[in-house]
């Protein structure tokens, strides 16, 4: 019942995630942040079972920090995604698998902006754009239609708003608010929350 959206541009990665924490038919929280800052050059958006999501993301982030302390440098986005995929694959073959879907975004001086798609079966793939969850069923066609090689951050944010509008229109599950974060050579920044109210105000103004 959750949704992640990711877009990679020439020199940035933008991630969006809904704020809803639900259990069965009940909404427990509407301000849950599912985008985690792993380091100055790396962020991860995770959805899945609430306990699995928090525990797995903390496990990955703390181990990446430990790697930096031991070696004196940070893992790049590609290495971090491989580390995440390997751990997810190992736990999948244990008695305590993690049921999570992940988008890993980061910026590396050598390789530039990178976005990696990882699902709960430990499939991993570098992508230009991606979406997880039920909302992804409605967003994928929008990402395919509007994404292009020279996309700017403003254009990516507008695509995010188009996707959220479609989710709120088509999906029976209520996902009113989406956090948005972007990472580039200047680090990680949080962008304005995309909410149902803000989208209605824009539509009325137009």
């Amino acid at each position: 019942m959750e949704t992640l959206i990711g877009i990679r541009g020439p020199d940035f990665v933008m991630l969006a995630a809904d704020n809803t924490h639900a259990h069965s038919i009940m909404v427990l929280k509407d301000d849950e942040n599912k985008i985690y800052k792993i380091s100055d050059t790396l962020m991860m958006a995770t959805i899945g079972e609430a306990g699995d999501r928090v525990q797995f993301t903390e496990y990955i982030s703390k181990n990446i920090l430990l790697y930096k302390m031991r070696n004196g440098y940070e893992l790049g986005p590609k290495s971090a995604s491989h580390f995440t995929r390997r751990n997810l694959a190992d736990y999948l073959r244990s008695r305590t698998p993690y049921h999570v879907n992940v988008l890993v975004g980061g910026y590396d001086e050598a390789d530039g902006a990178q976005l990696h798609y990882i699902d709960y079966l430990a499939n991993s793939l570098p992508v230009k754009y991606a979406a997880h969850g039920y909302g992804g069923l409605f967003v994928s066609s929008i990402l395919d239609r509007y994404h292009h090689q020279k996309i700017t951050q403003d254009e990516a944010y507008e695509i995010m708003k188009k996707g959220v509008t479609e989710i709120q229109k088509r999906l029976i599950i209520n996902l009113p608010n989406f956090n948005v974060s972007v990472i580039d050579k200047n680090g990680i920044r949080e962008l304005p929350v995309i909410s149902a109210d803000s989208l209605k105000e824009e539509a009325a103004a137009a």
Side-chain angles (χ1 to χ4, degrees):
M1 295 190 294
E2 302 168 288
T3 300
L4 297 181
I5 309 170
I7 296 175
R8 173 174 62 83
D11 56 357
F12 71 91
V13 172
M14 188 175 294
L15 298 179
D18 70 276
N19 288 13
T20 303
H21 178 191
H23 178 71
S24 184
I25 61 171
M26 297 180 293
V27 174
L28 304 181
K29 293 179 68 179
D30 61 0
D31 59 353
E32 184 83 2
N33 190 3
K34 300 171 186 175
I35 304 176
Y36 303 86
K37 178 181 177 182
I38 306 300
S39 69
D40 292 337
T41 60
L42 186 68
M43 61 181 177
M44 179 185 297
T46 312
I47 60 172
E49 296 292 336
D52 287 359
R53 173 171 53 81
V54 174
Q55 188 173 352
F56 182 75
T57 307
E58 287 186 353
Y59 174 79
I60 295 298
S61 63
K62 300 306 180 187
N63 274 276
I64 290 176
L65 181 60
L66 178 62
Y67 183 92
K68 179 183 178 182
M69 293 171 63
R70 285 178 172 173
N71 297 279
Y73 61 91
E74 296 179 350
L75 285 176
K78 186 182 297 184
S79 300
S81 67
H82 288 314
F83 176 75
T84 303
R85 192 213 71 82
R86 175 59 189 268
N87 276 277
L88 198 55
D90 288 344
Y91 278 106
L92 185 66
R93 290 156 179 81
S94 72
R95 294 184 179 181
T96 56
Y98 287 104
H99 190 90
V100 294
N101 294 300
V102 184
L103 292 178
V104 178
Y107 185 86
D108 184 79
E109 289 293 339
D111 299 322
Q114 296 184 46
L115 174 64
H116 290 262
Y117 171 100
I118 305 172
D119 68 10
Y120 73 100
L121 295 175
N123 296 306
S124 178
L125 191 68
V127 291
K128 297 181 294 183
Y129 52 82
H132 278 300
Y134 283 129
L137 300 174
F138 304 103
V139 175
S140 296
S141 59
I142 295 174
L143 294 172
D144 186 62
R145 169 67 178 83
Y146 291 103
H147 186 278
H148 58 87
Q149 294 297 328
K150 297 182 180 180
I151 189 170
T152 65
Q153 293 188 22
D154 289 339
E155 288 174 330
Y157 189 73
E158 288 301 316
I159 293 174
M160 292 291 189
K161 289 198 290 187
K162 289 178 186 292
V164 172
T165 300
E166 197 67 17
I167 290 169
Q168 292 172 349
K169 179 180 179 181
R170 302 280 184 183
L171 193 62
I172 193 171
I173 302 163
N174 183 30
L175 299 175
N177 302 316
F178 279 73
N179 279 344
V180 185
S181 294
V182 63
I183 184 169
D184 55 22
K185 63 181 180 181
N186 298 316
I188 297 173
R189 303 189 313 280
E190 291 187 3
L191 300 181
V193 173
I194 302 175
S195 66
D197 292 337
S198 66
L199 292 173
K200 287 179 182 177
E201 289 176 2
E202 286 189 15

